[in-house]
Amino acid sequence: MTNLPPPAEELRILDAELRQLDLRRAVLLRRRAWLVHTLRAAAAAPQPAQGTGAAPGGPPAGPATGAAARRPETTAPGVQNVLLVLGGVLLTVAAIAFTLVSWGHLGIAGRSLVLGALTVGALGAPVTLLRRGLRATAEAVSGLATALTVLDAYALHEVAFTGADGVGYTAAASAVLAALWAAYGVRLGLFHPLPLAVATAHLPLLLWAIAVGAGPLPLTAVLLATAAGGSAVALRAVSAPVRVVAVAGALGTGAVGVLSAGWLCWSASDPGSAARAAALLVVAAAVALVTGRFAPNREVAVAAAAAAGLCLVAGSAGVLRVSVPGEWTVPGCQLFAILLLAAGRTSLPLPLRQGLVRAAAAVQGFAVLWAVPLVAGSVLGPAVQAVTPWSGAPRTVRDAVFAGVPAPAHASTVPLVLAVVAAALVVAGRRTPRRPAVMVVALVLGWAAVHVLPAALQLPYTAGLVTQAAVVVAALGLAVRSDRADGGPSPLALTALLLALLTSVDLALLSLASESATIGVLVTLTVLFGAAGRRPRHAPFTVPAALAHATALACALGASAGLRPPHTALLVLVVPAVAALIASRSSGSRATVPVEVAGAAAGLLALALAMPDPPMLALVLSLNGVVAAATALRPERRAVGWAAAVLLPAAAWVRLAAWEVGTPEAYALPVTGPALVVGYLRRRRDPAVSSWTAYGPGLAATLVPSLLAAWDDQHWLRPLLLGVAALAVTLVGARLRLQAPLVLGAGVLALVALHELAPYLTQVVGALPRWVPPALAGLVLLVLGATYEHRLRDARRLREALGRLR
């Protein structure tokens, strides 16, 4: 028995079988077309001539010759598409030319019959072509048909609606054409009419608004409505080209509409106008939220929600701008941004919540950028006081910071703006894995809020100084507390230290307006950073800062006492001495090198101050040399002894130059004595040190300049003293068997003797016969020859003795 299925099931099976047969038939038709094309190409190829080595009817040429040469350079579908597109374009151009040029040669009946017949034929031809499976040809003909419908609309206006407004008629025609193309494309399943209909559908509302003379507000509303329609089409469309066209149109009209609404809102002169424009921004935000709610892509949803949040904040800001004083506009925007952050606790989908949070963060970032001019002025402005120090205390801090420069407008709420952002970061940073970085940013913003407070509120000058000092104390305290909490150096503590240093520099510069304020502030900063330097972790930052402020204090005290800069240098030298003492007690710690660098910088400043006065410069050089020598006593700082060896003789030389002393021994002996003592101590510690290393530089420092001076000296005292000194050095070298003193002393003694005997030797040489010099030369050569022969004989005897050993 045969079990027959129910009729409904059997019908489903038959439909499935028929679909399979249709698919198989389509595959076979494509294969047949390819085979026909291949056979035609082979038949059209030239046959090989007789006698070329290929027999008639033989096998075709190999792949390296004939087949490769006859391979087609394009595919059949490609040729087909090119021909169809080109044919459609040419027909469209011909129709346009006929409509625009030859239209007037026909009567009304002829015109209607020709265009009607062409349009109906072009619209109906794709139906027959699709039934025969010629889809590409149907697409090309339908393209011609859509172009003809546009020409029909133009012709209809020229014949029947000549009195109609051009813009209004275009709006109506574009609406009719969009509907016609959409219905035509859906009915026949063609490719291009639907995207064309969607693109055209963006025009009717806008053109209609222009035709009726709508103002900026209705035009903006029309743009937003068009964008909403495009978004709806993009969300519901199945075809990819339709989605692309709808998305492009929605983004274009929506962006223009939002920009227009924002401009209307921010340029409004009364709250009513601003509220109406803000309502349009609210509509745009609603459209963006709905689009993000139904968008299949997560990134698109987040971007749409972020755009919605920015539209809401922009609308509220426009209303606030004309409703409250100007300085409260940005804080009002921050308030609305904080309200957007509350969306994170609602039941909205996650992408929408994330987009609203990003919009709120962007608004906070814009608020911070708005506060940058005042912050930059508060940080860099006090440097102006260094140009005219102690010119008199200004009335307010803003006068001192922005001296001769206009202050930023609406600056009184800048501290509030920065404080709100910092507080928001502190709250948000508790639940993020990037908490250290977020807390550092919050600390910087909080510091900026307090730092600009005196200038923003125009506090009195003294109150501003007290506020800045309190900021320094608070930053140092936070650094100490952060280290204690984290058990080690943390980014927050390091940031607090750097902010304390920056604030102290600004405070010192700001205090330059008044003499008493300068001294009081520098004393406070020196004591404050010196006390903070007792903590080893902070010492690399705080102790050098204390020394720098102490250096500035020394200069201020000298200027206050009426001292000249060279005499003020003596006060500054206290800082290198203190730095050397601190470095010796903290040897081996991380603070040693920064402290020594700060002390060296103070020493260089003292030298610069003392430069105009040579006697004072000599004293400063000597004191710097003493500090360097004391530092060199530490085993790990032996190399500083070279600096001491340069500074001390330089001090002596400057002193002698100030006394106008021209004797070279006066400059050389201060170098020779210490150098010989250092060499003696070094040889005692290390007997392997050469005498040239220990005593050579010291002896040469005196003997060589004295020898050069004695060579041109016409008196007898200098050569006599130099000869006695050279003889003593030679005897000491011979007694102690030291090469350097022996060679240097003997050489200098010989040259002094030669210098003294030179006149007499000249007389003796003049009295000798002419044959004496050649005879002496020959005698020398004979002695050298005999010596050479003697050495050769000894070498020969040694070789013979070794030969006999074999």
Side-chain angles (χ1 to χ4, degrees), residues 159-182:
V159 172
F161 299 99
T162 54
D165 177 61
V167 178
Y169 179 81
T170 305
S174 60
V176 173
L177 289 177
L180 175 64
W181 292 340

Side-chain angles (χ1 to χ4, degrees), residues 398-730:
R398 182 179 293 188
D399 297 335
V401 172
F402 296 97
V405 178
H410 307 309
S412 59
T413 56
V414 169
L416 176 61
V417 169
L418 295 173
V420 168
V421 179
L425 287 176
V426 170
V427 174
R430 296 177 179 176
R431 295 173 295 179
T432 178
R434 299 180 180 178
R435 182 176 181 274
V438 173
M439 297 306 292
V440 166
V441 176
L443 174 61
V444 173
L445 292 176
W447 165 83
V450 181
H451 190 77
V452 302
L453 186 63
L457 301 182
Q458 300 188 29
L459 295 180
Y461 178 70
T462 306
L465 295 180
V466 173
T467 303
Q468 299 287 20
V471 172
V472 177
V473 174
L476 290 176
L478 180 60
V480 173
R481 182 178 179 182
S482 299
D483 273 350
R484 288 177 179 174
D486 297 340
S490 65
L492 191 63
L494 181 59
T495 304
L497 277 176
L498 294 179
L499 293 177
L501 293 174
L502 179 59
T503 309
S504 68
V505 173
D506 274 348
L507 177 58
L509 291 173
L510 192 62
S511 67
L512 290 176
S514 172
E515 178 180 350
S516 58
T518 302
I519 296 175
V521 165
L522 292 176
V523 169
T524 303
L525 292 177
T526 303
V527 174
L528 186 61
F529 281 98
R534 299 181 62 183
R535 295 184 59 84
R537 291 175 183 170
H538 303 157
F541 299 93
T542 55
V543 176
L547 294 175
H549 290 306
T551 304
L553 177 61
C555 295
L557 290 175
S560 178
L563 300 178
R564 295 175 53 245
H567 294 86
T568 304
L570 296 178
L571 296 176
V572 176
L573 282 177
V574 177
V575 177
V578 174
L581 180 61
I582 295 174
S584 64
R585 299 191 62 180
S586 63
S587 181
S589 68
R590 294 185 303 164
T592 302
V593 174
V595 168
E596 290 175 342
V597 170
L604 291 176
L605 177 61
L607 291 176
L609 292 174
M611 195 68 69
D613 191 347
M616 191 60 63
L617 177 61
L619 179 58
V620 171
L621 285 169
S622 62
L623 293 177
N624 273 324
V626 171
V627 174
T631 303
L633 295 178
R634 292 157 47 197
E636 71 276 9
R637 290 292 184 266
R638 297 298 187 196
V640 184
W642 293 103
V646 172
L647 290 171
L648 292 173
W653 293 345
V654 171
R655 181 73 262 183
L656 292 173
W659 286 338
E660 299 182 356
V661 175
T663 304
E665 289 79 7
Y667 295 89
L669 288 175
V671 179
T672 298
L676 293 177
V677 172
V678 172
Y680 173 73
L681 295 175
R682 185 174 181 184
R683 276 185 61 85
R684 284 190 60 185
R685 186 172 64 254
D686 186 7
V689 175
S690 171
S691 63
W692 287 102
T693 303
Y695 304 119
L699 293 174
T702 296
L703 293 177
V704 173
S706 298
L707 179 63
L708 295 177
W711 200 260
D712 293 332
D713 197 346
Q714 303 298 325
H715 302 281
W716 58 272
L717 182 59
R718 187 190 300 275
L720 176 61
L721 295 177
L722 180 59
V724 172
L727 178 61
V729 171
T730 304

